[in-house]
Amino acid sequence: MPEQPSIQTMALTVTPLNESFSAYVLIFSGPSDTEIEFNGVTLEVSKEEGDEFTALMVNYNYNYDRRITLRSKSKGETISMYPNFNYNLLTKTSFIENTCYVQIEKDAMGERTKYTATVSSFADKEDLESLSKYFIAYLRNRSGTRFQLSTRHLNETENENVVSYYKYFDSFYSGSKTDSYNEYFAILNDTAIELDGFTVESFGFVLYVTSLDYKNRILITNDMTINRSWYYQIV
């Protein structure tokens, strides 16, 4: 049955304290074992009613390692966000990833295992432009080299540097990025992985939101975060 993320960001506020420091207030909901990581100056977390938490953080403005991470081991979920110094917005209460319903099914296919992720969203079509959905796997070969593979569109030109690894892991989809409903497929060749001495370090599904045009290095949306991601661990 499709479900929304167990960890959800409900509100994020960034307030300048002076020329050097900013304060962040993050309100989120999640399972009781949800933990928060922040590399700023201070971090105070309080549990409110039900499954709601409030985190107060202070960070030195020139500390660019200001990523906020929420993690629940019981649910296998991780949320990561990189705040932006957007003092014009002050508070953000709408997060497109919260509109998504995700269902992941597993099917044995002899020597291979097929995973299907069904994703639906009630967000507006134009808002879905900033949302990417994909499987991601980290594999390590016999010599210790680690490499990353993720979902590709069937109409994309294949990356010649990773085509040879499709025998171990392949993931694809065929719809449009702005479709309110889509399916994503991933196939792990368990036998080939074992015979060739490969190991799967991690494998999961991601909802990724960005407000940055990486090619031109400019912000394309007026957002409180430069990027955010929700990760569901499968392996």
Side-chain angles (χ1 to χ4, degrees), residues 124-213:
D124 293 335
K125 192 178 184 71
E126 57 269 21
D127 292 333
L128 292 171
E129 286 285 355
S130 63
L131 177 66
S132 298
K133 296 148 281 188
Y134 53 90
F135 284 102
I136 187 168
Y138 289 93
L139 278 66
R140 192 177 295 274
N141 62 19
R142 197 188 303 272
S143 65
T145 303
R146 184 174 184 258
F147 54 94
Q148 170 190 312
L149 294 169
S150 59
T151 303
R152 59 189 172 87
H153 195 280
L154 284 177
N155 292 336
E156 289 179 359
T157 302
E158 294 184 343
N159 185 340
E160 60 182 17
N161 295 321
V162 298
V163 168
S164 62
Y165 296 116
Y166 289 164
K167 66 177 289 189
Y168 308 108
F169 173 85
D170 193 11
S171 180
F172 52 89
Y173 78 105
S174 59
S176 169
K177 184 178 181 180
T178 57
D179 288 343
S180 60
Y181 175 90
N182 215 329
E183 288 184 328
Y184 301 79
F185 304 95
I187 298 174
L188 277 173
N189 190 328
D190 307 290
T191 300
I193 289 172
E194 182 178 356
L195 287 176
D196 292 352
F198 279 67
T199 56
V200 180
E201 289 198 337
S202 64
F203 169 51
F205 191 77
V206 177
L207 301 175
Y208 181 81
V209 185
T210 182
S211 59
L212 183 67
D213 180 340

Side-chain angles (χ1 to χ4, degrees), residues 1 4-5 12 16 29 45 59 64 69 77 80 91 107 112 120 143 145 158 182 205 207-208 214 216 219 222 231:
M1 180 177 179
Q4 291 179 289
L12 174 64
S29 63
V45 182
N59 188 49
Y64 295 106
T69 302
E77 295 182 18
S80 177
T91 299
D107 296 298
R112 304 179 181 186
S120 58
S143 65
T145 303
E158 294 184 343
N182 215 329
F205 191 77
L207 301 175
Y208 181 81
Y214 286 95
N216 298 307
L219 290 173
N222 187 30
Y231 174 79

